[in-house]
Amino acid sequence: QVQLVESGGGEVQPGGSLRLSCAASGSIFSPILMGWYRQAPGKQRESVAHITSGSTTHYADSVKGRFTVSRDSAKNTVYLQMNSLKPEDTAVYYCRLVQRELALNSDYWGQGTQVTVSS
């Protein structure tokens, strides 16, 4: 089993910055992918950014140029640096880890951290 714990959420004014962290613990075997998703009230969960085992990064169009995903493999931690935040970035942000277990991909999620962008 893998446990994911997010931190760093909060309330910030438009144009501000936040840095989210997600620390993974437990039985971790070279994750294929670690990343961030978000869900705003009344909307479906959407992908924000992720980083693969080969350090390739992917971003949603809505956050390109503003958000940066990074990973510290030694600490099994993934980060999301969020700059130039907008009210539409308000959501619960979830961390995700995918790794190979017994020839299958196993999918783990954190419990989420609230990000509120408001003046």
Side-chain angles (χ1 to χ4, degrees), residues 1 6 15-16 29 31 45 58 65-66 74 82 87 94 101 107-109 114:
Q1 285 293 317
E6 301 104 333
F29 310 107
R45 190 174 296 188
H58 299 267
R66 300 188 298 122
M82 304 186 293
Y94 297 91
E101 295 178 2
D107 208 344
Y108 298 94
W109 293 85
Q114 177 70 47

Side-chain angles (χ1 to χ4, degrees), residues 37-46 90-94 114:
Y37 291 69
R38 67 186 181 188
Q39 188 166 19
K43 294 188 177 181
Q44 290 188 328
R45 190 174 296 188
E46 62 175 358
T90 296
V92 178
Y93 283 70
Y94 297 91
Q114 177 70 47

Side-chain angles (χ1 to χ4, degrees), residues 90-116:
T90 296
V92 178
Y93 283 70
Y94 297 91
C95 177
R96 181 190 185 199
L97 182 151
V98 179
Q99 67 179 12
R100 200 77 173 166
E101 295 178 2
L102 300 176
L104 297 173
N105 284 346
S106 293
D107 208 344
Y108 298 94
W109 293 85
Q111 292 193 332
T113 185
Q114 177 70 47
V115 171
T116 301

